[in-house]
């Protein structure tokens, strides 16, 4: 297998099955990661499971995040941009490891160590707002973006 081969476990169901041999939520393994990208250009934040991502593809994903952060849709929303960048970095540095709400609260939004996600829904609200902004971006100025970023619920 190619040294940059990746295992992509992304929510392909957002596009439906890629083809007859690849169904929704299948794990797709390929020797050439760019082959998969032409079929499903989806990067799932906080649940992305990618191993062996080359520097080139990492740069491509981070460039997509920066395009989002600089977009008209996220203009003026520093907190959503911080959340987006944090989730992207976490996904690339810790493939397949879900980020915890407490972690986001303390590391991104500066909440105190005694933050209780059961009592404070601020992080869930911010994640919901980011999902709405992602949908808005991809239905307007990001329509032809080569990478689609998704933030699943949960």
């Amino acid at each position: 297998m190619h040294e940059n081969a990746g295992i992509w476990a992304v929510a392909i169901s957002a596009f439906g099955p890629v083809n007859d041999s690849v169904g929704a939520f299948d794990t797709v393994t390929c020797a050439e990661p760019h082959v998969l990208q032409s079929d499903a250009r989806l990067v799932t934040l906080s649940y992305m499971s990618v191993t062996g991502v080359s520097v080139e593809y990492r740069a491509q994903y981070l460039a997509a995040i920066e395009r989002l952060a600089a977009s008209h849709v996220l203009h003026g929303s520093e907190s959503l941009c911080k959340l987006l960048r944090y989730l992207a970095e976490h996904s690339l540095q810790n493939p397949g490891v879900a980020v915890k709400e407490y972690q986001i609260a303390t590391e991104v939004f500066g909440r105190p160590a005694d933050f209780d996600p059961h009592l404070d829904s601020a992080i869930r609200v911010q994640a919901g707002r980011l999902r709405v902004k992602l949908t808005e971006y991809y239905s307007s100025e990001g329509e032809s973006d080569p990478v689609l970023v998704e933030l699943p619920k949960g």
Side-chain angles (χ1 to χ4, degrees):
M1 184 175 280
H2 189 270
E3 71 177 12
N4 288 332
I7 296 174
W8 298 64
V10 295
I12 294 173
S13 67
F15 297 102
V18 174
N19 59 40
D20 292 337
S21 64
V22 180
F25 296 109
D26 280 354
T27 299
V28 179
T29 304
C30 63
E32 298 295 329
H34 67 277
V35 171
L36 176 62
Q37 186 179 9
S38 67
D39 290 330
R41 55 190 179 100
L42 180 65
V43 176
T44 304
L45 297 176
S46 82
Y47 294 100
M48 184 173 69
S49 180
V50 179
T51 57
V53 175
S54 70
V55 173
E56 175 187 344
Y57 290 105
R58 177 183 170 82
Q60 183 181 8
Y61 301 143
L62 292 177
I65 297 301
E66 289 310 311
R67 280 191 301 277
L68 269 162
S71 71
H72 177 71
V73 171
L74 286 176
H75 178 73
S77 184
E78 185 179 330
S79 63
L80 292 182
C81 290
K82 279 176 64 174
L83 177 59
L84 175 66
R85 287 182 179 114
Y86 177 84
L87 292 173
E89 279 295 330
H90 183 274
S91 293
L92 289 170
Q93 291 176 2
N94 306 292
V97 177
V99 65
K100 302 290 185 194
E101 191 175 344
Y102 176 85
Q103 208 176 341
I104 294 170
T106 57
E107 294 179 20
V108 178
F109 296 110
R111 294 287 202 265
D114 64 350
F115 174 81
D116 185 349
H118 295 97
L119 300 176
D120 188 342
S121 65
I123 307 309
R124 292 186 299 280
V125 169
Q126 288 292 84
R129 288 180 180 152
L130 182 55
R131 281 186 205 96
V132 168
K133 294 294 186 179
L134 288 171
T135 301
E136 187 179 332
Y137 173 78
Y138 287 111
S139 65
S140 62
E141 64 189 286
E143 192 172 45
S144 63
D145 201 315
V147 177
L148 177 65
V149 178
E150 179 187 61
L151 179 59
K153 289 185 178 182

